[in-house]
Amino acid sequence: MDSEAVWRADAVALADRISALLTVVRSAEAEIGSLLAEIESRGVMELFGYRSVARLFEHLADVPKAAAEAVVKRARALTPGCALDGTPVPAVAPGTGVAALAGRLSTPMIDTIVGVMTQVPPEHRADAEQHLLSFASDAGHKQVAALGARILAHLDPDGAEPDTTEPATPSRELSLRRKRTGTWELQGRFDDETGTRASALLDSLAHRRTTDEGPDLRSPLERYGDAFSDAIDLALSCPELPMQAGERAHVMVAVSLEDLKSGLGQGILGDGSRPQARTGRATLGDLGTISAAEARIHACDCMLIPAVLGAKSEPLDLGRQRRLVPPGIRRALYLRDRGCAFPGCHRPPRHCQGHHIRHWADGGPTELGNLVLMCAHHHRLLHRSGWQVRIAADGLPEFLPPVFLDRRRKPRRNNLHQPLPFAA
């Protein structure tokens, strides 16, 4: 049809033209398949010098290897062939091959019928193929697939024999490596069950935070990165974590005593001013480094054991036990704060850490009146911003916002956690 005829044609004429062209294309594809089957039966090496028909067609048609192999596989199922010893090999679906040459079947329809026929016993293939081809004249390939499933169920109502072998060990792989920039790359491959459980865990930790700080502007990647960090904190705080060399899993942080006491941050004070900036560093584990301000955060309560060094790098103190919150005091914190005490935070106690109100490095005691329960996010926020926390006269923690949020610095509390249901 020329361009003017196309412009004048109505919808029916356009659809009819497309159908006619599809018939030509499908018939040509089926004829190409039969020619490839003929080449294979004669010997592609003798005729063309190629090792396989698929490789020949890949070069002739300029198509990917997978596409060429699919065409050859389809042609073998529709066209009779010969084995290496010359024995005739009947086609799996010869009637489908005839219909394909006439241009009546789409490629998905052919693959659907062939897929069913390969599972039908040879003595029933003729009848089953006839039913499928009759239904294919008025239905799509998805409906034909459903009919094929019913035919297979009728021929084998008991189904396949149950698999009595032991289930295979799930495939789980994980690679964690540190780059020169100090960042870490994580790659892994897990079975479906492990991936589903990991997704559920991260989803529960990665939802957006809506608190008095304002909207959560983190990207999805950032939220899931923070969720992964929170999941590690949860795992490290688990009492059932295996021992390493007689100790619970831990990371050692080395920082000078001067840097640890100074805080070394550029956070904002309660009055809105900034402290004098410093650039102290701390050694993390074997290779990593963090700022001394980060070391001060971790020195509150977690499984990072500080190694405090003097001016000549001599160890002054290594992991003083009184810094870590004992189990009894931690349980009292759970009962008092009921979760992260920061205003508007919903995190439960198991997601939280004990924060020293008067820092441990400054001589603050590890006792209930000097501790508050905080999630990792708000724990870091408290160390880096102008927020301050104190224990009020009633024994409960309250937070003083920085002046840029409230010039009066009116104390705020978390009213999301339910108090203990004690009778008055």
Side-chain angles (χ1 to χ4, degrees):
M1 300 177 67
D2 56 30
S3 58
E4 184 177 355
V6 170
W7 177 257
R8 293 179 179 178
D10 57 14
V12 175
L14 292 171
D16 287 344
R17 181 56 179 166
I18 291 175
S19 296
L21 292 174
L22 282 175
T23 300
V24 174
V25 170
R26 292 168 178 172
S27 177
E29 290 177 346
E31 185 175 355
I32 289 173
S34 66
L35 290 174
L36 293 174
E38 177 67 20
I39 292 172
E40 190 170 51
S41 66
R42 294 190 185 186
V44 64
M45 178 67 75
E46 290 77 5
L47 289 174
F48 296 95
Y50 279 78
R51 298 182 61 181
S52 70
V53 177
R55 179 67 69 176
L56 170 66
F57 185 64
E58 179 184 348
H59 290 171
L60 286 175
D62 191 23
V63 296
K65 178 181 179 181
E69 291 175 344
V71 170
V72 173
K73 181 180 179 181
R74 190 178 302 116
R76 291 172 183 155
L78 302 181
T79 309
C82 295
L84 294 177
D85 58 359
T87 305
V89 177
V92 174
T96 304
V98 174
L101 284 171
R104 300 200 304 267
L105 302 177
S106 66
T107 298
M109 181 69 78
I110 295 172
D111 292 341
T112 297
I113 297 176
V114 169
V116 173
M117 297 305 297
T118 55
Q119 302 177 65
V120 173
E123 63 271 19
H124 298 292
R125 283 181 179 172
D127 291 339
E129 186 179 18
Q130 187 58 45
H131 283 299
L132 293 172
L133 288 173
S134 298
F135 191 56
S137 60
D138 299 316
H141 66 277
K142 293 183 179 179
Q143 290 82 4
V144 172
L147 174 61
R150 292 197 297 270
I151 291 175
L152 293 175
H154 175 74
L155 294 175
D156 188 11
D158 295 332
E161 294 184 4
D163 187 3
T164 58
T165 59
E166 291 293 330
T169 302
S171 175
R172 299 167 187 160
E173 299 177 355
L174 186 67
S175 170
L176 180 63
R177 67 185 186 92
R178 183 179 185 274
K179 302 178 69 175
R180 293 182 178 179
T181 57
T183 58
W184 290 72
E185 282 190 349
L186 179 70
Q187 285 186 318
R189 180 185 297 113
F190 303 100
D191 59 282
D192 196 22
E193 179 186 357
T194 302
T196 300
R197 289 190 288 124
S199 178
L201 172 63
L202 295 179
D203 284 345
S204 67
L205 298 174
H207 52 75
R208 294 190 181 278
R209 305 186 183 109
T210 53
T211 67
D212 294 344
E213 307 162 52
D216 190 346
L217 302 179
R218 295 175 299 163
S219 68
L221 289 177
E222 290 171 335
R223 288 191 287 112
Y224 275 87
D226 291 341
F228 183 76
S229 178
D230 291 344
I232 292 177
D233 288 339
L234 287 175
L236 286 175
S237 63
C238 176
E240 299 178 359
L241 195 68
M243 306 287 281
Q244 289 183 333
E247 298 181 297
R248 292 196 56 189
H250 64 271
V251 176
M252 183 172 290
V253 175
V255 59
S256 72
L257 181 60
E258 179 186 0
D259 288 347
L260 181 62
K261 287 186 174 182
S262 70
L264 294 176
Q266 295 190 29
I268 303 174
L269 299 179
D271 59 4
S273 62
R274 291 182 178 271
Q276 183 178 0
R278 299 181 62 183
T279 57
R281 304 295 296 175
T283 300
L284 177 66
D286 298 327
L287 300 173
T289 59
I290 58 174
S291 68
E294 287 283 342
R296 188 175 175 90
I297 295 174
H298 294 311
C300 277
D301 176 36
C302 62
M303 294 310 296
L304 290 169
I305 300 177
V308 184
L309 307 180
K312 298 181 180 179
S313 297
E314 72 276 13
L316 299 181
D317 194 5
L318 180 60
R320 291 186 295 180
Q321 291 299 317
R322 63 185 178 91
R323 176 188 61 83
L324 301 177
V325 180
I329 295 181
R330 185 179 293 276
R331 286 192 289 268
L333 273 176
Y334 286 7
L335 293 174
R336 187 194 71 186
D337 296 345
R338 309 293 291 163
C340 179
F342 194 89
C345 184
H346 66 279
R347 288 295 175 91
R350 64 180 181 276
H351 293 179
C352 298
Q353 307 163 349
H355 166 72
H356 286 73
I357 297 176
R358 182 185 177 193
H359 200 275
W360 168 81
D362 299 329
T366 302
E367 59 186 30
L368 188 61
N370 191 48
L371 294 169
V372 62
L373 209 57
M374 302 191 70
C375 69
H377 169 70
H378 289 116
H379 191 184
R380 292 177 181 274
L381 179 70
L382 192 70
H383 278 271
R384 294 173 175 171
S385 68
W387 284 91
Q388 293 177 342
V389 61
R390 68 189 183 190
I391 300 297
D394 59 0
L396 298 178
E398 60 184 17
F399 291 78
L400 306 177
V403 292
F404 62 82
L405 290 179
D406 182 1
R407 291 186 179 275
R408 298 177 301 167
R409 304 199 72 197
K410 182 179 179 180
R412 304 181 186 184
R413 293 188 178 186
N414 190 336
N415 58 2
L416 295 182
H417 301 298
Q418 296 296 322
L420 290 173
F422 291 157

